[in-house]
Amino acid sequence: MTPPSTRLNSRMTWLLAVVLAAAVLLSTSFYSFRSFSRSTELVRRTAAVQVELERLLSALLNAETGQRGFLLSGQEEFLEPYHIGITDAASRLARLRELIADEDERRALDGLDALTRQWFALLGELVSLRRHGQTDAALDVVRSRVGKQTMDRIRARVRYIVEAEEGKLKRRQHEADESDRVTVLLVSCSGAALALALAVGAVVRKTAEQRRRSDAERDEVLGQMPVGVALAEPPTGALVYVNPCMKELTGDLGLIDAGASTAERARTIRRADGTPYAPGELPLSRALRGEVVPHEEMVVAPSTGDEVWILASAAPVYDPEGGLRLGVVVAKDITDQRKAARALTDANEALARLNAELERRVAERTAELEQVNTELEAFSYSVSHDLRAPLRAVAGYCRILEEDYAAALDEEGRSALARALAAARRMGQLIDDLLSLSRLTRAELHPERVDLSELAREVVSALRERDPARDVDVRIAPGLVDLCDPRLIQVMLENVLGNAWKFTANRARAEIELGVTPRDGAPPAYFVRDNGAGFDMAYAQNLFAPFQRLHAASEFEGTGIGLAIVSRVISKHGGKVWFDAAVGRGATLHFTLAASSTGEA
């Protein structure tokens, strides 16, 4: 008979073996599943970065759509997508800064942030130009392709970050796959060790209390795992253990019970391609037949609520004699990853549709603009050739009447003839001014360094020769040099200084001044100031439209084209023009030339 001390030592030895097996299982499982969870989180983060980048591009394009709608229509309600896009883009960039930790990608994100601010600054400039009625200037900015170049640079930065993240995603998915394989192996091996230790312990201890303690140790180890684990015994496939995570994932033990029939399942389960599982084809069932299932996606469809995507791995566990002891299945929830992938796909599809729609709209607007330009050219040709001929005939016959038949006319007839001649001359001037405006609109810009002061002195000299009886005090600031087209700027100065000369005609002491107002960090603002008739600022917005006049023709001559020409010239230079005036106290015209390199006076 074995002495009590020998039996006690034997029991203590087996108890120690059970405790050591549980400790090994706990430590190895904790390490493996911690690595597994870390890899899963990195995969999720990469997918989130890609989704946020796509949403950022969508926000930028939404803003451009709103801006284009406003540019074409001038209606403020079209700017709603523009304002939403600005807010959404800022939110996406902030979220990306939370997600991206890689130093190179953060530098690329800083560049993307700067390009996004440039993009919105360009859209804001176009909106401002349209609000101030400078549609031609806005169209010139669009034709300059600065916006397309900026968007191309934005897309290049986005591609760089996406490609960097995809490279990381491949490495992270590989790490996740390795973690899965290690997890299955460790659980299988440790499970076998634990099962063996528990079996031996049950034989040694032979008490329900010891068995309960062994089960508690197993439950404590496997219950702390962050993935689902289930064990089943052959040949029936009856479950011997299911940890809490697995219960939460499946919600219905029939989904993992190899012995359960389809009719016993309160929920449905299918493969990733949508096909249902045949009896005996669940991963745990195949593991009990000796098959290793490395990775298999499964979709759990509950009676209520959303579907749950599960990635399952299963393997058989053998005893020391080579007999099949258990089947083990490990599962993790990949629903968020699948949703992120679906969201990324949807975003790509939406972006493609949006790009196609934008391209279609751009093509339509381009065709419309080309048609307008063609019509303008045809109109200019008609004005130049078809209208001049009958006008010359009318003027010629009027002069014949004046020269040869004036004596035969009474005073009223001669007055009517004089008015007809004056109207013909005015019509001729209108045609000349209209053709000048049309040519300026189509003229190409050839900027160079121009001495505005010298150019203005030449214009004033010509005005004095034309009207030598006038005594006008003209002050021109010296050394005004800027980058501009000399031919167009001369035409602009002729109209601006000519207007100042004309509207000071009723002043006993007329004064005209050309100067500049320096501005920090911005192109200088030039001004032409006079002490002439002035005007009511309530009508200032109409001055730059063709044929708009605020004074009667009997009071001041002119066709109303001059300031329209000034506006076209300044717009072609990318600048701005505006007025300050008061009735009877003169007017000041301000203008900038955005083409300026330094703007030094």
Side-chain angles (χ1 to χ4, degrees):
M1 182 175 181
T2 304
S5 60
T6 302
R7 291 197 301 271
L8 180 60
N9 289 337
S10 176
R11 291 172 180 174
M12 291 299 296
T13 301
W14 290 116
L15 179 60
L16 180 61
V18 171
V19 173
L20 288 175
V24 170
L25 178 60
L26 175 61
S27 61
T28 56
S29 299
F30 177 76
Y31 173 80
S32 299
F33 284 111
R34 186 177 62 179
S35 300
F36 172 83
S37 299
R38 185 166 54 251
S39 298
T40 301
E41 170 61 21
L42 292 176
V43 170
R44 184 199 65 78
R45 184 180 292 268
T46 295
V49 168
Q50 293 174 329
V51 170
E52 290 300 327
L53 286 170
E54 294 297 336
R55 290 175 177 172
L56 173 61
L57 284 177
S58 180
L60 297 180
L61 293 172
N62 281 341
E64 184 185 25
T65 299
Q67 172 268 143
R68 285 185 177 178
F70 178 72
L71 187 61
L72 294 170
S73 67
Q75 298 179 14
E76 289 289 336
E77 59 265 25
F78 280 88
L79 288 178
E80 182 178 357
Y82 165 76
H83 295 302
I84 293 174
I86 293 176
T87 303
D88 196 18
S91 174
R92 301 305 170 195
L93 286 168
R95 177 59 178 154
L96 285 169
R97 292 197 180 279
E98 296 175 0
L99 292 172
I100 293 177
D102 182 82
E103 191 65 30
D104 290 339
E105 289 184 46
R106 288 190 73 87
R107 283 195 294 269
L109 182 60
D110 290 338
L112 179 59
D113 194 351
L115 288 171
T116 300
R117 289 195 296 271
Q118 292 178 22
W119 175 254
F120 283 123
L122 176 63
L123 297 188
E125 179 184 0
L126 291 172
V127 169
S128 177
L129 288 172
R130 184 64 176 87
R131 279 179 174 154
H132 288 84
Q134 300 183 33
T135 306
D136 290 339
L139 291 177
D140 287 339
V141 173
V142 173
R143 295 190 192 100
S144 70
R145 302 179 69 81
V146 172
K148 182 180 184 303
Q149 293 168 2
T150 303
M151 180 54 71
D152 288 343
R153 293 173 64 193
I154 289 174
R155 287 195 174 102
R157 291 293 177 117
V158 169
R159 278 197 302 273
Y160 171 81
I161 298 175
V162 169
E163 290 171 359
E165 286 291 327
E166 287 177 349
K168 290 182 180 179
L169 181 59
K170 291 180 181 178
R171 295 193 298 273
R172 292 167 183 172
Q173 288 175 336
H174 177 72
E175 293 172 1
D177 293 342
E178 289 297 323
S179 178
D180 285 345
R181 285 192 287 272
V182 171
T183 299
V184 172
L185 180 61
L186 286 174
V187 171
S188 300
C189 295
S190 300
L194 180 60
L196 180 60
L198 291 175
V200 174
V203 172
V204 175
R205 301 290 293 175
K206 295 182 180 180
T207 64
E209 179 65 24
Q210 291 171 328
R211 181 178 298 276
R212 187 168 59 252
R213 290 178 181 176
S214 298
D215 291 343
E217 291 171 355
R218 180 197 64 187
D219 293 350
E220 182 180 359
V221 173
L222 297 181
Q224 295 178 5
M225 292 185 176
V227 295
V229 179
L231 305 175
E233 290 182 335
T236 62
L239 294 172
V240 297
Y241 177 77
V242 180
N243 75 343
C245 186
M246 180 65 85
K247 293 177 182 178
E248 183 179 352
L249 283 177
T250 62
D252 172 21
L253 299 185
L255 295 178
I256 56 172
D257 188 349
S261 66
T262 304
E264 294 173 333
R265 296 172 185 156
R267 305 182 181 192
T268 60
I269 185 169
R270 63 178 187 273
R271 302 177 189 272
D273 61 4
T275 59
Y277 278 94
E281 288 302 314
L282 288 171
L284 186 56
S285 300
R286 288 144 62 190
L288 290 172
R289 296 198 297 269
E291 181 180 346
V292 176
V293 183
H295 299 291
E296 187 164 310
E297 289 189 356
M298 308 165 66
V299 184
V300 178
S303 56
T304 60
D306 297 332
E307 293 181 336
V308 178
W309 283 78
I310 295 175
L311 183 65
S313 301
V317 178
Y318 298 95
D319 59 28
E321 287 74 27
L324 183 61
R325 177 68 185 88
L326 292 169
V328 58
V329 61
V330 179
K332 63 179 179 178
D333 188 346
I334 60 169
T335 304
D336 289 342
Q337 294 171 249
R338 295 288 302 196
K339 287 182 177 179
R342 179 68 260 176
L344 183 59
T345 301
D346 291 344
N348 284 332
E349 293 175 355
L351 182 61
R353 290 194 298 270
L354 181 59
N355 281 334
E357 176 63 16
L358 289 176
E359 291 297 333
R360 183 187 65 80
R361 291 181 181 179
V362 169
E364 289 179 354
R365 299 300 180 266
T366 301
E368 290 173 1
L369 288 174
E370 289 175 351
Q371 178 64 25
V372 169
N373 285 335
T374 301
E375 292 174 355
L376 283 174
E377 290 177 0
F379 177 71
S380 297
Y381 180 86
S382 175
V383 169
S384 179
H385 296 81
D386 298 341
L387 295 184
R388 284 187 183 278
L391 183 62
R392 282 194 298 268
V394 170
Y397 284 121
C398 286
R399 281 193 295 272
I400 291 173
L401 286 174
E402 184 181 40
E403 294 171 0
D404 298 340
Y405 299 98
L409 298 174
D410 57 14
E411 185 63 28
E412 185 177 354
R414 285 192 293 273
S415 176
L417 182 58
R419 287 196 298 271
L421 280 169
R425 284 193 295 271
R426 177 173 172 76
M427 184 63 180
Q429 185 61 49
L430 284 171
I431 292 173
D432 290 339
D433 289 347
L434 191 59
L435 288 174
S436 296
L437 181 62
S438 176
R439 283 192 295 270
L440 284 173
T441 301
R442 300 193 304 272
E444 293 185 5
L445 203 65
H446 300 286
E448 60 182 68
R449 302 295 292 175
V450 176
D451 188 338
L452 301 181
S453 300
E454 180 60 30
L455 205 58
R457 282 191 286 268
E458 293 176 3
V459 172
V460 172
S461 178
L463 290 171
R464 291 189 188 282
E465 290 179 4
R466 191 179 66 190
D467 198 358
R470 293 275 314 270
D471 181 16
V472 181
D473 179 14
V474 180
R475 296 184 298 276
I476 298 174
L480 301 181
V481 178
D482 212 324
L483 184 66
C484 54
D485 186 305
R487 182 179 60 85
L488 296 182
I489 289 300
Q490 181 173 1
V491 173
M492 187 273 294
L493 287 175
E494 287 174 351
N495 281 279
V496 173
L497 293 171
N499 269 358
W501 188 276
K502 176 172 60 177
F503 289 112
T504 57
N506 297 331
R507 290 288 184 261
R509 180 61 177 172
E511 297 178 358
I512 300 173
E513 180 183 3
L514 170 62
V516 65
T517 303
R519 301 188 297 173
D520 292 337
Y526 301 99
F527 63 85
V528 174
R529 180 182 296 120
D530 66 66
N531 65 339
F535 58 87
D536 188 345
M537 284 295 292
Y539 304 101
Q541 69 273 16
N542 300 325
L543 286 176
F544 297 107
F547 306 117
Q548 295 296 314
R549 291 174 51 83
L550 299 183
H551 301 87
S554 59
E555 186 179 1
F556 296 103
E557 64 178 9
T559 60
I561 288 291
L563 288 179
I565 291 175
V566 170
S567 177
R568 294 293 193 277
V569 171
I570 297 302
S571 294
K572 291 186 76 67
H573 283 78
K576 299 179 181 179
V577 58
W578 67 97
F579 262 112
D580 288 325
V583 176
R585 290 189 290 174
T588 302
L589 181 139
H590 305 267
F591 66 92
T592 62
L593 300 171
S596 172
S597 59
T598 64
E600 296 178 354

